[in-house]
Amino acid sequence: MALRSSCTAVGAITLTNVTKEFSLPNGQRLRVLENVSFEAPDRSFTSILGPSGCGKSTILNLIAHLDNHSSGTISVGGDRVGFVFQQPRLLNWRTVADNVTLPLEGRDLESKALRALAEKYLELVGLGGYQSYYPLQLSGGMQQRVAIARALAIDPDVLLMDEPFSGLDEITARKLRQQLTRIWQETGKTILFVTHNISEAVLLSQQILIVSAKPATIFKRMSVNLPYPREYGDLKLFELETQLTRDFLGMEEETTRSTKGT
Amino acid sequence: MTTFPRVLSIASLLVAWLILAWIFPPTIVPGPIPVFKAMGQNIMSGQAFYHLYKTLLRVGLGLVLTMVLGVAVGTIMGLSHKGELFLDSWVMVGLTVPAIVYSIVCLLWFGLNEAAAIIAIGTAAFPAVSISIWQGIKAMDMQLVSMGQAFHLSKTAIIRKIIFPQLLPHILASMRYALGICWKICTTVELIGMSSGVGFQLNYWFGLFSMAQVFAWTLLFLLVMFAIEYLIFKPVEQRLTRWRSGVPALQWAQ
């Protein structure tokens, strides 16, 4: 039932009727994803927006092969998947540059080439000159930028980001969001971005998928046809945000009602 | 800035010794002069090197055995729940049995030889190492492992680059602690069943009521242990944990 393929156009992610169940210790099966279908076109920026703990991260884990789905099809246009987690997940005993090149070490590259790649991607995330620092010498925002550089260094076909800015203070998060838009435009990566922050989703994405909780399913799909760079405080963004918030609350109400009904 | 408290601490120890030597007769607390004189004699006669060598060899081999057993048992306990349930009581027994019991049992079973001494040291000291490694594995950041999996690192790469570096501080700390235990057990074994080593010398001079010699041998061993601590352990630890410090690293990968 569960199929994977990588024959679609490079960079695109397509999920068709993907369902994921976990077995509980008491023998029952817990369904976390139900019939999730969506498409993220090549070079697009798609956000998955949903309440905390609704199973949005599971979608990313399935795409990154960290977990297997129960049924449905997942196709990713390429094997190389970059992942940025909620926490930086850096190896604190390695320098910043050695962290960035960690996923490349299995490949047959000279140390000079590795160093050049580290330099290139650190430059891209605005951390040029920090190669020889250790992660604990950097602020949380800088650490997360190192994590982004690490994900980009493998030249991924798709970049998966799991609430990457939710652990940062708002000012730092805002700066990083602006940087992410720039990086996305410069590199042309397909980005799938999980968040529970409505204004973040509106600011960054071309496509927003609203996900309901337990089991997660796509409740609504929405396009954001506004030009980049987008600015905080833009009225059009604010309007969209208000509308999305209304949808979100409507969804919560609906799910509560349906749970009561059963 | 760190040297001053150290110098002060050693100086205060010397002063305390001088005061005690002044209060008590030399048969109970000999002063520094007769003790250093005795030490000088031992060194000049070559006795010091011979017995020190014997003890260090036993401690060194015992430490190797301790670390191999300790890391193996600790790893099994950390990784497998069944292993934990099975080995838990073993380690508790190992920790509870007094070290002298291991010494007596090994000497009776294996005879008055080197193997008995090394086995006694290894078995007595390894439970403490096991517990430290076990805790280290439990405290490991598994999110880093899943990061490695997300980036398609091979199993060996994950063990070598993500798991082992997280265990290294625990291995190092337990090794330091184990060295102290090994030395204590070694002297006990030498005292009751060996005809060489620092423990044997302590017993010999105890029989002759020569407090100056007992002090001289103890002091000699202390000096050697200090040298190991400051010339080997401290620099290695500093090198391995420099990423914790706030100082930027030296030029990267020159």
Side-chain angles (χ1 to χ4, degrees):
Chain A
M1 279 298 276
L3 296 170
R4 286 186 190 277
S5 70
S6 50
C7 51
T8 43
V10 170
I13 305 167
T14 312
L15 271 71
T16 318
N17 296 325
V18 171
T19 298
K20 168 73 187 169
E21 286 179 339
F22 286 109
S23 299
L24 295 176
N26 59 14
Q28 277 187 321
R29 297 187 71 73
L30 177 72
R31 186 163 279 209
V32 279
L33 294 186
E34 176 144 325
N35 279 331
V36 173
S37 302
F38 68 86
E39 189 180 342
D42 192 23
R43 294 169 164 261
S44 69
F45 196 120
T46 303
S47 283
I48 298 175
L49 177 67
S52 298
C54 74
K56 337 184 262 298
S57 304
T58 310
I59 299 175
L60 293 194
N61 291 342
L62 293 178
I63 296 170
H65 294 237
L66 284 176
D67 207 343
N68 289 314
H69 52 298
S70 311
S71 69
T73 331
I74 297 177
S75 69
V76 182
D79 288 333
R80 287 201 297 261
V81 176
F83 211 125
V84 179
F85 305 89
Q86 192 176 344
Q87 313 81 9
R89 299 201 191 176
L90 301 175
L91 305 182
N92 289 334
W93 53 90
R94 281 178 165 235
T95 60
V96 163
D98 287 344
N99 265 288
V100 172
T101 54
L102 172 78
L104 300 171
E105 284 167 11
R107 298 178 199 177
D108 207 12
L109 283 169
E110 276 180 51
S111 67
K112 220 183 207 173
L114 284 178
R115 224 181 308 168
L117 279 170
E119 221 160 287
K120 176 183 163 191
Y121 286 102
L122 285 169
E123 201 77 53
L124 183 69
V125 298
L127 284 177
Y130 283 93
Q131 287 91 322
S132 54
Y133 280 65
Y134 285 100
L136 294 186
Q137 295 165 334
L138 306 181
S139 66
M142 288 160 97
Q143 289 185 19
Q144 197 57 297
R145 272 144 72 188
V146 176
I148 294 171
R150 176 179 63 193
L152 289 170
I154 61 168
D155 192 19
D157 299 307
V158 294
L159 182 58
L160 308 177
M161 306 183 88
D162 188 2
E163 307 201 17
F165 306 140
S166 65
L168 304 172
D169 64 271
E170 186 52 26
I171 303 291
T172 310
R174 281 190 183 196
K175 283 185 198 153
L176 287 195
R177 282 176 204 129
Q178 302 290 8
Q179 282 197 349
L180 181 61
T181 300
R182 174 183 58 76
I183 290 167
W184 168 60
Q185 288 179 319
E186 276 179 33
T187 56
K189 296 293 175 199
T190 308
I191 297 182
L192 193 56
F193 189 98
V194 160
T195 181
H196 61 251
N197 182 330
I198 297 173
S199 62
E200 180 174 68
V202 171
L203 182 85
L204 293 171
S205 351
Q206 295 172 311
Q207 179 184 219
I208 299 174
L209 307 163
I210 306 176
V211 172
S212 69
K214 285 170 194 170
T217 187
I218 308 280
F219 178 78
K220 195 181 174 188
R221 196 190 146 275
M222 184 184 207
S223 297
V224 185
N225 299 312
L226 292 172
Y228 294 91
R230 298 172 183 166
E231 296 292 335
Y232 274 98
D234 187 322
L235 272 179
K236 281 181 190 144
L237 286 179
F238 185 70
E239 259 169 47
L240 270 175
E241 199 183 318
T242 320
Q243 191 197 325
L244 261 176
T245 312
R246 218 178 295 133
D247 289 344
F248 216 86
L249 292 174
M251 174 185 84
E252 298 255 283
E253 225 166 78
E254 205 168 292
T255 38
T256 348
R257 217 180 305 134
S258 68
T259 339
K260 270 183 191 163
T262 51
Chain B
M1 269 293 101
T2 52
T3 45
F4 180 67
R6 283 194 209 286
V7 170
L8 196 69
S9 121
I10 290 168
S12 62
L13 266 174
L14 271 172
V15 170
W17 184 8
L18 279 170
I19 293 171
L20 286 173
W22 180 64
I23 297 171
F24 294 100
T27 45
I28 294 172
V29 182
I33 293 164
V35 169
F36 280 106
K37 215 183 213 168
M39 200 160 44
Q41 279 168 6
N42 297 341
I43 290 168
M44 294 304 277
S45 67
Q47 287 278 304
F49 297 111
Y50 172 71
H51 292 285
L52 204 58
Y53 164 74
K54 281 288 191 184
T55 298
L56 286 176
L57 195 69
R58 287 169 194 144
V59 170
L61 291 173
L63 185 65
V64 170
L65 185 62
T66 302
M67 293 311 292
V68 169
L69 282 174
V71 171
V73 170
T75 306
I76 293 168
M77 290 176 75
L79 294 180
S80 140
H81 185 61
K82 282 184 188 133
E84 184 178 337
L85 292 174
F86 181 77
L87 291 165
D88 190 25
S89 43
W90 282 39
V91 167
M92 281 323 288
V93 169
L95 270 181
T96 319
V97 172
I100 189 132
V101 175
Y102 293 105
S103 314
I104 294 169
V105 169
C106 285
L107 289 170
L108 284 176
W109 282 356
F110 306 110
L112 308 179
N113 55 43
E114 299 299 320
I118 291 159
I119 293 169
I121 294 167
T123 45
F126 93 83
V129 175
S130 295
I131 286 186
S132 172
I133 302 297
W134 173 30
Q135 298 297 331
I137 291 176
K138 293 269 164 210
M140 192 135 51
D141 188 351
M142 290 312 286
Q143 290 195 327
L144 292 180
V145 174
S146 76
M147 180 275 290
Q149 288 166 337
F151 282 103
H152 297 296
L153 263 64
S154 66
K155 262 211 168 92
T156 41
I158 288 177
I159 291 171
R160 208 161 56 81
K161 294 169 181 171
I162 298 177
I163 293 179
F164 181 70
Q166 290 191 72
L167 274 187
L168 198 59
H170 294 272
I171 293 174
L172 215 66
S174 63
M175 195 162 148
R176 238 172 167 178
Y177 179 60
L179 181 66
I181 307 178
C182 287
W183 142 243
K184 282 176 193 159
I185 301 160
C186 186
T187 42
T188 315
V189 174
E190 287 171 346
L191 196 136
I192 56 180
M194 294 282 139
S195 52
S196 62
V198 176
F200 163 75
Q201 282 293 319
L202 286 172
N203 193 27
Y204 175 79
W205 291 109
F206 164 70
L208 294 179
F209 294 111
S210 169
M211 229 24 196
Q213 280 287 3
V214 170
F215 269 51
W217 282 101
T218 309
L219 194 64
L220 183 68
F221 203 86
L222 270 177
L223 291 176
V224 172
M225 291 306 250
F226 262 97
I228 291 172
E229 172 73 21
Y230 285 97
L231 298 178
I232 301 173
F233 274 117
K234 277 258 156 67
V236 167
E237 188 181 60
Q238 239 156 32
R239 215 192 122 65
L240 290 174
T241 57
R242 69 193 156 179
W243 53 270
R244 286 187 218 261
S245 72
V247 191
L250 297 171
Q251 200 53 49
W252 175 65
Q254 276 297 312

